[in-house]
Amino acid sequence: CTCWIEFMVASNIKVYIRVRPCGKPSASFQADPDRSTATFELDRLTDAEVNNSKLTHAYRFDGILPMSASQEDVLDTVAKPVIDDVLNGVNGTIFAYGQTGSGKTFTITGGAERFADRGLIPRTISYMFEAFRKSDYQYKMYISYLEIYQKAGYDLLRDDSAQQLEDLPKVTLREDEDGNTHLRNLSVNVAASEED
């Protein structure tokens, strides 16, 4: 499963879960998109020890995207409300969180083989440039791409000859004398078009 945490206006945080497609789903996990709940059933140990641990754990989310959810469904459900707020001047953040192999990269960047598999980043950029063209306002887009891997930040848009992630300079968090936060070694790139 990939968890989405969406920050919207002020403290309005929304959390979504996307259930990764798999050939043989676990019987101990149940997702109910209609009720926005995910339930985990743990096996009771059969040895002689007394185990009073809770065996069923249920969690409620703002939304559950089932195994059948398309990349377009993820955009419509998770990203478009945030993008629309950003276009109205409200800061927004979407990030993916989950264990290795849970589908974060596929959901964010997409698959390379089919156009329908484009992820949130290319779909969001396309959606924003479409909104720019329809608007009476003038916009300028700046893009940074930060990956946090094993507690270290890396700039994935850095024009560098590094062959491996660990060879890139680490992005570090700094606070200036006024209390403003800055990310050192994170590039900020102008995107004049969707292709940039």
Side-chain angles (χ1 to χ4, degrees):
C1 298
T2 299
C3 233
W4 297 96
I5 300 177
E6 172 184 317
F7 295 89
M8 293 176 64
V9 182
S11 64
N12 190 5
I13 298 172
K14 296 196 180 277
V15 179
Y16 295 86
I17 186 170
R18 182 179 192 185
V19 181
R20 182 175 189 241
C22 60
K24 186 180 176 194
S26 171
S28 64
F29 173 77
Q30 297 295 319
D32 185 348
D34 296 330
R35 292 182 31 226
S36 297
T37 58
T39 306
F40 298 87
E41 298 281 341
L42 303 177
D43 292 331
R44 181 175 296 280
L45 299 174
T46 56
D47 54 3
E49 291 181 31
V50 174
N51 183 352
N52 292 326
S53 298
K54 186 175 176 180
L55 298 176
T56 302
H57 300 272
Y59 303 94
R60 180 172 296 278
F61 296 90
D62 291 291
I64 294 182
L65 296 148
M67 284 190 250
S68 60
S70 68
Q71 296 283 65
E72 187 71 23
D73 295 335
V74 177
L75 177 76
D76 291 342
T77 304
V78 176
K80 280 186 179 178
V82 176
I83 299 165
D84 291 337
D85 280 348
V86 167
L87 292 170
N88 288 317
V90 177
N91 288 332
T93 301
I94 299 171
F95 70 88
Y97 178 82
Q99 69 186 46
T100 301
S102 63
K104 299 176 302 295
T105 300
F106 177 78
T107 301
I108 293 290
T109 61
E113 280 132 42
R114 297 181 328 142
F115 186 76
D117 288 341
R118 291 174 306 138
L120 280 181
I121 291 173
R123 288 173 186 273
T124 296
I125 291 170
S126 179
Y127 182 77
M128 289 184 78
F129 274 104
E130 181 182 324
F132 294 170
R133 286 188 291 276
K134 293 177 180 177
S135 176
D136 294 333
Y137 296 102
Q138 195 170 22
Y139 292 93
K140 195 168 195 178
M141 183 181 284
Y142 297 93
I143 297 177
S144 296
Y145 192 0
L146 172 70
E147 177 170 333
I148 301 170
Y149 179 71
Q150 294 184 351
K151 298 183 182 179
Y154 300 96
D155 182 352
L156 298 185
L157 293 180
R158 185 179 179 92
D159 188 16
D160 201 299
S161 60
Q163 296 296 314
Q164 294 184 338
L165 184 68
E166 293 80 10
D167 294 336
L168 289 169
K170 288 189 172 69
V171 175
T172 55
L173 191 66
R174 298 281 184 236
E175 189 174 308
D176 65 20
E177 60 277 355
D178 297 325
N180 299 313
T181 303
H182 303 276
L183 295 170
R184 187 168 174 242
N185 290 330
L186 182 65
S187 63
V188 177
N189 306 277
V190 176
S193 69
E194 191 175 333
E195 291 74 31
D196 286 347

